[in-house]
């Protein structure tokens, strides 16, 4: 083995310019870790199995392949500062800060988006919806089969301790839902059943016979009562009324 030293300040002149240009935007600063170079020293220590040298006896990893790597604290030698608290935004978080002001701003934006979504949808009178219509609460990502179960759920939430707290945390609206029941496609079933058969097998099944199977499947699906799945319908909503809670006693 031989150890050589490379004179960085000599060699670096061969590959780097005298100065680096940095156009800093508002809320950008030179990285304090790499001083704007965008790179730091990387230690890659290693050992050799069965090493009997003095160095090998003293340490498991006595050797090093020191090199230069990208700075782990920044991109391109520049860090971004939070526009609210002025602290550095950690690498990879793209303008996301953990500070209170930032959270407030995020909450405000979320509220505006929610309002916009509601303003693009139609309000439906509660009296006009079917009694079997499920309602979707976007705030908690819960579905409710009716208003009573919605009211009960909010009364039961452990995190709310008083009537006032519940009222303050009620969603403004509940989305209506679209139901989907089980269905099966005869053509799809036949074609997958024919997959390993001879190439004309699928074609040799008449359209009458396919229709017959479809009818059987439809009948069978109709008998199923436990498959109904509902999806939120973001075009229609009912407004949540505080009165729902009063009618249901207690409050
Ligand atoms: Zn850096
Ligand atoms: Zn911040």
């Amino acid at each position: 083995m031989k150890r050589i030293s490379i004179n960085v300040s000599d060699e670096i002149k061969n590959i780097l310019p005298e100065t680096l240009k940095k156009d800093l935007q508002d809320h950008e600063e030179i990285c304090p870790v790499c001083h704007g170079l965008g790179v730091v020293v990387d230690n890659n220590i290693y050992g050799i199995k069965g090493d009997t040298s003095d160095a090998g006896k003293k340490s498991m990893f006595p050797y090093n392949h020191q090199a230069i790597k990208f700075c782990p604290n920044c991109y391109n030698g520049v860090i971004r500062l939070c526009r609210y608290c002025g602290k550095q935004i950690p690498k990879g978080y793209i303008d996301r800060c953990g500070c209170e002001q930032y959270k407030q701003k995020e909450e405000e934006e979320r509220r505006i988006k929610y309002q916009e979504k509601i303003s693009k949808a139609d309000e439906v009178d509660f009296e006009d919806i079917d009694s079997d219509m499920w309602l979707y609460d976007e705030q908690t990502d819960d579905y409710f089969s009716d208003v009573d179960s919605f009211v009960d759920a909010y009364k039961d939430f452990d995190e709310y301790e008083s009537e006032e707290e519940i009222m303050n945390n009620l969603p403004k609206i509940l989305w209506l839902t679209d139901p989907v029941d089980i269905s099966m496609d005869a053509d799809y079933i036949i074609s997958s059943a024919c997959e390993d058969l001879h190439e004309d097998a699928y074609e040799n099944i008449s359209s009458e016979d396919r229709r017959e199977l479809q009818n059987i499947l439809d009948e069978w699906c109709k008998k199923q009562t436990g498959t109904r799945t509902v999806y939120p319908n973001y075009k229609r909503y009912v407004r949540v009324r505080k009165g729902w809670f009063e009618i249901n006693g207690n409050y």
Side-chain angles (χ1 to χ4, degrees), residues 82 84-86 97-99 102:
C82 171
Y84 301 102
C85 69
C97 184
C99 71
Y102 181 84

Side-chain angles (χ1 to χ4, degrees), residues 31-36 38-40 71-75 77-79:
C31 172
V33 173
C34 64
H35 303 272
V39 289
V40 293
C71 175
N73 188 55
C74 72
Y75 292 110
V78 175
I79 57 167

